[in-house]
């Protein structure tokens, strides 16, 4: 988990974002060039490590009612990717380009990657440490010992591998 200071450094590295200190030591970052009414990219970054980034126009993220993703446990790479996608979506009025899609995870034996259902829901299948992990956003959903078990579960739940 990144510290509060590390998250601030990452967000400060985006010159298009304006830092706004708010109550209780929290910090927001706004994108004033937004073509939407929504201008806040990062919301209520807190010294305890909690905070949110806007992903309301993006697919593949577990967002709250206001379109924000909790970034408490994000890595630097994941945070930078989400911030870039958020800024792009607010500047163009749409989703981020395909090159900014959540990366596919592929093992040496079988593909993992993004799985989608008919309602637009997404899960990520990832192979690591000799196990198959299924994530909903950054949250762990299930773990399986074999690719076949993971595939059966995803298929039973109505998901199919996303075409590249």
């Amino acid at each position: 988990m990144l510290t509060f200071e590390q998250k601030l450094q990452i967000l400060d590295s985006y010159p298009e974002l304006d830092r706004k200190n708010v109550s209780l030591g929290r910090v927001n970052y706004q994108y004033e060039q937004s073509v939407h009414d929504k201008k806040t990219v990062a919301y209520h970054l807190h010294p305890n490590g909690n905070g949110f980034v806007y992903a309301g126009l993006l697919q593949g993220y577990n967002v709250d009612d206001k379109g924000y993703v909790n970034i408490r446990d994000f890595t630097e790479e994941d945070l930078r990717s989400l911030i870039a996608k958020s800024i792009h979506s607010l500047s163009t009025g749409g989703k981020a380009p395909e090159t900014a899609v959540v990366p596919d995870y592929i093992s040496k034996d079988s593909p993992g990657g993004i799985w989608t259902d008919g309602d637009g829901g997404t899960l990520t299948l990832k192979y690591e440490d000799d196990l198959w992990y299924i994530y909903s956003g950054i949250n762990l959903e299930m773990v399986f010992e074999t690719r076949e078990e993971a595939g059966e579960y995803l298929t039973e739940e109505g998901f199919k591998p996303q075409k590249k």
Side-chain angles (χ1 to χ4, degrees), residues 3 21 63 66 68 71 93 95 98 121 152-153 156:
T3 66
N21 294 326
V63 298
K66 296 179 182 178
Y68 287 94
I71 59 164
K95 72 175 197 166
E98 290 304 311
E152 286 175 21
Y153 170 80
E156 288 173 3

Side-chain angles (χ1 to χ4, degrees), residues 130-149:
D130 295 323
L131 293 171
W132 289 92
Y133 293 84
I134 298 175
Y135 294 94
S136 175
I138 62 167
N139 298 314
L140 181 63
E141 172 116 0
M142 297 290 287
V143 180
F144 296 96
E145 291 184 350
T146 68
R147 168 65 176 80
E148 292 75 26
E149 291 172 321

Side-chain angles (χ1 to χ4, degrees), residues 15-160:
E16 60 267 55
L17 296 179
D18 294 327
R19 181 177 173 162
K20 308 283 184 191
N21 294 326
V22 292
S23 62
L24 303 173
R26 296 175 298 188
V27 179
N28 291 348
Y29 285 82
Q30 294 185 337
Y31 178 60
E32 295 300 331
Q33 294 81 23
S34 175
V35 298
H36 293 275
D37 289 339
K38 177 67 71 183
K39 294 191 184 306
T40 303
V41 170
Y43 178 71
H44 282 183
L45 292 174
H46 193 277
N48 71 7
N50 211 18
F52 303 89
V53 170
Y54 184 70
L57 299 172
L58 303 173
Q59 294 181 350
Y61 288 96
N62 213 4
V63 298
D64 64 14
D65 294 348
K66 296 179 182 178
Y68 287 94
V69 174
N70 189 309
I71 59 164
R72 180 177 188 84
D73 297 321
F74 271 43
T75 64
E76 179 176 353
E77 181 181 325
D78 291 337
L79 181 56
R80 286 187 182 281
S81 175
L82 177 58
I83 292 167
K85 290 179 203 176
S86 180
I87 291 169
H88 183 273
S89 72
L90 291 171
S91 65
T92 63
K95 72 175 197 166
E98 290 304 311
T99 57
V101 170
V102 177
D104 287 343
Y105 298 99
I106 298 175
S107 83
K108 58 186 177 221
D109 302 321
S110 249
I114 308 298
W115 290 60
T116 57
D117 67 7
D119 298 326
T122 62
L123 294 175
T124 303
L125 177 60
K126 184 176 180 181
Y127 183 75
E128 58 185 15
D129 301 324
D130 295 323
L131 293 171
W132 289 92
Y133 293 84
I134 298 175
Y135 294 94
S136 175
I138 62 167
N139 298 314
L140 181 63
E141 172 116 0
M142 297 290 287
V143 180
F144 296 96
E145 291 184 350
T146 68
R147 168 65 176 80
E148 292 75 26
E149 291 172 321
E152 286 175 21
Y153 170 80
L154 288 163
T155 302
E156 288 173 3
E157 293 296 320
F159 287 84
K160 295 180 183 176

